[in-house]
Amino acid sequence: MSIKERLQADLKEAMKSGDTFLRDCVRLLNAAIKQVEVDTRSSLDDNAVLKILKSAYKQREDAAQAYKQAGRADLYEQESKEMQVILRYLPAQLSDEQLRQRLEEIIARTQASGLKDLGKVMQEAKSLSDVADGRRISTMAKSLLQ
């Protein structure tokens, strides 16, 4: 089942069960996907849909941080709940230990020896972008190279 099909099935289920939060969140995701499909005049595959979902997740993550800094716990909570819904459709993320192991392998393979080699490591670590956030990868790579 493709991601778009899962979104449609979850939308139907949310409407049947009366879960308005899930219904509205899935509708927003569907609208973002549909907008790109209309703009590009093509049907999107799962990889393109994943990019849209990652972008939506990052937007909500940034908004949640802004709300948290502004002391708006209610809006922070709303964004956090939406992030949890989006995570259902993204591939499982690596744990910190798994990410550390993968980065250590990349550092050994590229023979990186310090922060000056961060660019080489990040170039190789692009393959991890599906299973780890770029910010997490960068932060951990910096700590390992120091």
Side-chain angles (χ1 to χ4, degrees):
M1 180 182 283
S2 73
I3 296 172
K4 290 191 318 185
E5 291 170 345
R6 283 182 45 210
L7 282 165
Q8 288 299 329
D10 288 351
L11 177 61
K12 286 179 187 176
E13 186 60 37
M15 291 171 74
K16 286 180 184 177
S17 67
D19 187 348
T20 58
F21 175 77
L22 180 61
R23 180 198 67 199
D24 293 344
C25 191
V26 172
R27 279 184 176 167
L28 284 172
L29 296 174
N30 278 333
I33 293 167
K34 192 63 148 170
Q35 181 64 47
V36 174
E37 286 182 335
V38 168
D39 290 347
T40 61
R41 294 186 178 152
S42 64
S43 181
L44 300 178
D45 62 353
D46 275 354
N47 288 334
V49 172
L50 278 176
K51 287 181 182 179
I52 293 169
L53 293 177
K54 283 183 197 176
S55 175
Y57 183 84
K58 184 165 178 6
Q59 288 172 349
R60 281 159 182 81
E61 186 178 38
D62 292 343
Q65 291 304 318
Y67 290 141
K68 188 175 185 177
Q69 290 174 353
R72 294 292 310 268
D74 56 333
L75 294 174
Y76 171 77
E77 194 64 35
Q78 173 81 10
E79 295 293 333
S80 297
K81 286 171 55 179
E82 288 182 12
M83 288 167 46
Q84 294 304 313
V85 170
I86 295 169
L87 281 176
R88 294 180 188 179
Y89 305 102
L90 294 175
Q93 300 292 295
L94 292 177
S95 69
D96 285 343
E97 186 56 38
Q98 291 169 326
L99 181 59
R100 180 179 304 282
Q101 289 174 341
R102 294 265 189 95
L103 284 174
E104 286 171 349
E105 292 169 7
I106 290 171
I107 289 171
R109 191 170 55 237
T110 60
Q111 299 175 348
S113 60
L115 282 177
K116 62 181 175 28
D117 296 324
L118 181 63
K120 284 195 286 189
V121 172
M122 290 303 292
Q123 183 68 30
E124 287 288 320
K126 281 186 179 180
S127 62
L128 301 176
S129 67
D130 284 345
V131 291
D133 181 52
R135 198 175 296 157
R136 276 183 63 211
I137 294 171
S138 175
T139 303
M140 190 167 290
K142 285 178 187 175
S143 69
L144 290 172
L145 288 172
Q146 288 179 341

